[in-house]
């Protein structure tokens, strides 16, 4: 009951704020959606496993990105926006092992805060830099095709991302965005046959395309 009451009060307050706002004034909240292509680079324990996989015929760790972020960027902030959202990476499955009888794949994401600054001093327009600081998980699996069996690893931890890009205005409300991101992550989890609290470290570079409005 308390949760419902709190939610109702929150909705009323937001509604009151919006009603008091000039109808011609745009609420300074912007949405950014993007998809992209990237490659992951492992270090530590994961790097050792990658070397073993390479020797057994597996490919590289490329895949696709998906991101959604919302920014609060009043005009008086002169091109700076502060927001939150999620970015994920989904690696393409790799087949290897004896007679290509194994499939290796992984995915990860982070949820967190983001800052974005446009040098034009107008949000969603021109050259920009951005950073994300978040928390998330990595899931890693090896599927033994002949046995229909999985080895499943799971880790959680932090990610830091930096990026540079450009927003091409399409009209007064929508822009087309291109950006290049570099992300580093440090997570810990349990590994089958190796124990608990194993370190999962990786970095990633990706190019992303999306819209902002």
């Amino acid at each position: 009951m308390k949760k419902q009451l709190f939610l109702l009060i929150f909705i009323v307050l937001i509604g009151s704020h919006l009603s008091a706002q000039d109808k011609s004034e745009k609420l300074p909240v912007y949405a950014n959606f993007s998809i992209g292509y990237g490659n992951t680079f492992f270090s530590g324990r994961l790097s050792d496993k990658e070397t073993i996989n390479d020797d057994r015929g597996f490919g590289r760790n490329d895949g696709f990105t998906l991101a959604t972020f919302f920014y609060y960027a009043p005009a008086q902030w002169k091109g700076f926006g502060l927001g939150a959202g999620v970015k994920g990476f989904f690696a393409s499955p790799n087949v290897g092992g004896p007679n290509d009888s194994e499939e290796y794949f992984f995915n990860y994401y982070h949820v967190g805060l983001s800052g974005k600054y446009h040098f034009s001093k107008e949000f969603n327009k021109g050259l920009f830099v951005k950073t994300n600081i978040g928390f998330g998980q990595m899931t890693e699996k090896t599927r033994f095709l002949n046995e229909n069996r999985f080895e499943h690893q799971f880790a959680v931890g932090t990610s830091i991302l930096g990026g540079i890009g450009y927003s091409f205005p399409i009209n007064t409300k929508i822009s087309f965005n291109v950006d290049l991101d570099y992300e580093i992550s440090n997570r810990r989890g349990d590994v089958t046959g190796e124990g608990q609290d194993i370190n999962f470290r990786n970095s990633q570079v990706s190019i992303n395309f999306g819209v902002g409005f």
Side-chain angles (χ1 to χ4, degrees):
M1 183 64 183
K2 289 182 179 180
K3 290 183 179 180
Q4 288 87 339
L5 181 60
F6 176 80
L7 180 61
L8 179 61
I9 293 173
F10 178 77
I11 293 173
V12 170
L13 290 175
I14 292 296
S16 299
H17 172 74
L18 295 177
S19 297
Q21 203 172 17
D22 184 341
K23 300 298 183 182
S24 63
E25 181 184 355
K26 180 183 182 298
L27 186 68
V29 175
Y30 297 82
N32 282 190
F33 301 98
S34 68
I35 59 175
Y37 172 81
N39 197 67
T40 299
F41 307 94
F42 292 133
S43 58
R45 182 260 172 197
L46 290 178
S47 180
D48 295 339
K49 181 170 183 177
E50 180 182 46
T51 300
I52 294 172
N53 281 349
D54 286 347
D55 292 340
R56 300 175 69 240
F58 288 86
R60 306 309 298 173
N61 303 313
D62 61 331
F64 298 93
T65 66
L66 179 64
T68 303
F69 280 84
F70 295 87
Y71 293 93
Y72 179 70
Q76 59 267 32
W77 287 8
K78 299 186 182 302
F80 177 74
L82 184 63
V86 58
K87 180 178 181 180
F89 178 79
F90 308 90
S92 304
N94 287 322
V95 176
N99 301 315
D100 289 337
S101 62
E102 300 173 18
E103 185 178 57
Y104 174 71
F105 54 100
F106 62 92
N107 58 72
Y108 53 83
Y109 72 88
H110 76 260
V111 178
L113 299 177
S114 179
K116 190 175 184 183
Y117 177 71
H118 287 260
F119 292 95
S120 66
K121 299 188 183 301
E122 184 177 344
F123 200 81
N124 252 8
K125 182 178 181 180
L127 183 68
F128 66 81
V129 292
K130 66 176 181 178
T131 185
N132 302 346
I133 300 175
F135 183 85
Q137 75 172 53
M138 177 177 185
T139 301
E140 179 196 30
K141 292 183 180 181
T142 301
R143 181 184 179 189
F144 299 87
L145 301 174
N146 292 342
E147 306 172 32
N148 197 25
R149 176 175 63 88
F150 286 92
E151 281 188 1
H152 184 113
Q153 330 291 357
F154 175 85
V156 295
T158 57
S159 296
I160 299 175
L161 179 149
I164 185 170
Y166 202 94
S167 294
F168 300 89
I170 297 175
N171 54 40
T172 57
K173 296 181 179 180
I174 302 174
S175 66
F176 175 71
N177 299 329
V178 180
D179 60 78
L180 182 67
D181 291 349
Y182 178 74
E183 177 183 345
I184 56 175
S185 301
N186 188 11
R187 305 178 180 90
R188 305 194 73 86
D190 299 345
V191 177
T192 302
E194 296 189 29
Q196 300 178 341
D197 202 31
I198 303 296
N199 193 228
F200 283 62
R201 300 197 311 272
N202 72 275
S203 59
Q204 180 218 78
V205 62
S206 66
I207 184 169
N208 312 284
F209 305 89
V211 295
F213 54 90

